[in-house]
Each structure stands twice: as structure tokens, then as C-alpha cells.
Amino acid sequence: MTAERLLELARGELGVTEHPRGSNRVKYNTDYYGREVSGSGYPWCCVFVWWLFQRAQAAQLFFGGERTAYCPALLAYHKKQWVKGEYQPGDVIFFNFSGRNAAAHVGICEKWDGSMITTIDGNTGEGNEANGGAVMRRTRNKKYIMGAYRPAYRKEETMTQLQFDNLMADWLARQSERPESPWGKMAEAMRAGITDGSRPQSFATREEVATMIVAAKL
């Protein structure tokens, strides 16, 4: 599972809110506890992150596949994967808004520019950073960041244009070396002056096709 896949899932949840407001009654808590819950004892920013990894079928990347709704416990478990300062999309970011040492909130990094971080969080809001009741995209100053852990995501498989061009050229070269099929009519086409008979198993360009069509009509 890649970091981008997790972020795609998170973006798909933007706008989800608890109902009624202030109740902590939300689908992520229902999935986590196995029943509908409500009340002040069920904050869900950490539960939201758990839910994302569950839905991404990458539960092992969150708390070793176990469950926790407590940010400090999640932070302590992943200390060996701790990063500070050079954040990347998909990092699990821990916040504290009061200047204390305990993690009060958690979200998923979407963008970092060295001073401001954009995350997608559960249970946040304009009026309450860490218990606002909604899934939102938030941009905050680095002073609120405690640090992050970086899950062992699978790296994105990328290919440069040059790599693609080289692979395509190699494939076409190998195709051109393949002999004509037994049912081919290259000999007849050559005698009719339609083609020179080279590269019988390779692709023809539009230019070559047009030339062959015109030659066939002459």
C-alpha cells in the first residue's frame, strides 16, 4: 500500500461529521468499537487514522495491527519510525496545541513546505483543533508539530519518459527480428511492390500504412 493510496482514502472522507454535533457519534467510532457510541469519552482523531489503515488493508502499519484510540500510545509504539522536520505525504503527524509534551491530536500529512504543514484529520474543526467533530484538511504552523512516524509504505512505481522510450525501442527491435508467420502474405506483397518485407511482426507507422495503401492501388 502506498502513501498516495492512503491519502486518496482520506480525501474521500473530507466533509464527514459526527452527528449530532459534539456527540462523537460517527461511523469511524462505530467501526472501531463495534457498536454506535456517543459521549465525551470517545474522541476519534486517532480512530480515524486507524480506520484509514484498515480500509487500505494495511492494518499492520498502524500500531502493529492492533487498535488504539489514544494518540500518546500510538506515538510511543512507533518511536522507532520517528521523523522530525523532513515530513512527507503519508506521514502520521502528531500535534499539541497547548505547548505540552503529550500528543493531543493526529492526522495524515498531505503537504509540507518547511514551515507549514497540510494534513487531513478526523475530529477537527475551525473552533476546536483537536475535537472539532469533522474530517477536514487543515494547514498549521510547524510550531504545533511534535513529530511524526513514517509507515513502511510501498514505494510508488514510476518510470521516466526516457526509460519508457528505451523499453519501447527495445521491444520494437525484438519484434522486428521475429520471422513471418506461416500464414503471412509478405512474399505476395513484396512482389506487388506494396512493402519491402522487412519487420514482418513489428508495428507499421501511419506513414508506412499510407504508402502501402497507395502502392496497392497503383
Side-chain angles (χ1 to χ4, degrees):
M1 198 265 303
T2 65
E4 183 56 33
R5 170 58 180 154
L6 191 79
L7 282 167
E8 285 177 5
L9 288 170
R11 292 177 189 121
E13 299 301 307
L14 289 169
V16 174
T17 60
E18 59 190 34
H19 185 77
R21 186 174 180 178
S23 67
N24 288 321
R25 184 180 298 160
V26 68
K27 66 179 184 179
Y28 316 112
N29 268 342
T30 300
D31 286 354
Y32 182 88
Y33 293 102
R35 66 187 192 283
E36 191 174 87
V37 297
S38 65
S40 60
Y42 300 99
W44 51 276
C45 66
C46 193
V47 168
F48 174 67
V49 177
W50 167 85
W51 187 91
L52 290 174
F53 281 101
Q54 290 286 321
R55 284 302 174 98
Q57 298 183 336
Q60 197 66 27
L61 301 184
F62 177 96
F63 208 59
E66 301 298 323
R67 299 191 304 169
T68 184
Y70 188 46
C71 292
L74 183 65
L75 185 157
Y77 182 89
H78 288 286
K79 268 293 189 179
K80 290 184 178 180
Q81 298 163 278
W82 195 246
V83 291
K84 182 81 172 175
E86 296 299 325
Y87 304 114
Q88 298 177 6
D91 285 353
V92 179
I93 309 293
F94 294 92
F95 296 96
N96 187 287
F97 305 108
S98 64
R100 298 177 182 176
N101 291 325
H105 188 67
V106 67
I108 306 296
C109 176
E110 189 175 36
K111 184 171 63 174
W112 163 251
D113 67 6
S115 61
M116 303 293 288
I117 193 162
T118 299
T119 57
I120 299 177
D121 309 350
N123 200 22
T124 189
E126 296 297 340
N128 192 323
E129 295 279 3
N131 194 21
V135 179
M136 296 180 65
R137 176 181 284 113
R138 306 301 306 272
T139 299
R140 302 182 178 97
N141 190 282
K142 66 180 180 181
K143 67 182 180 181
Y144 298 116
I145 304 172
M146 294 186 65
Y149 86 83
R150 183 165 297 151
Y153 294 115
R154 179 172 57 83
K155 292 184 178 180
E156 299 279 356
E157 295 180 2
T158 59
M159 181 182 294
T160 66
Q161 185 64 50
L162 180 60
Q163 289 173 323
F164 175 81
D165 291 347
N166 288 338
L167 285 173
M168 193 64 182
D170 178 69
W171 185 84
L172 288 171
R174 285 186 282 111
Q175 287 295 107
S176 68
E177 294 172 357
R178 293 176 59 193
E180 179 186 358
S181 300
W183 46 266
K185 301 294 183 181
M186 295 298 292
E188 290 88 336
M190 290 171 62
R191 285 194 293 271
I194 297 172
T195 180
D196 63 4
S198 63
R199 301 180 294 112
Q201 297 288 343
S202 190
F203 292 135
T205 65
R206 291 184 179 183
E207 183 179 42
E208 289 173 325
V209 170
T211 300
M212 287 187 285
I213 290 173
V214 171
K217 291 180 177 180
L218 296 178

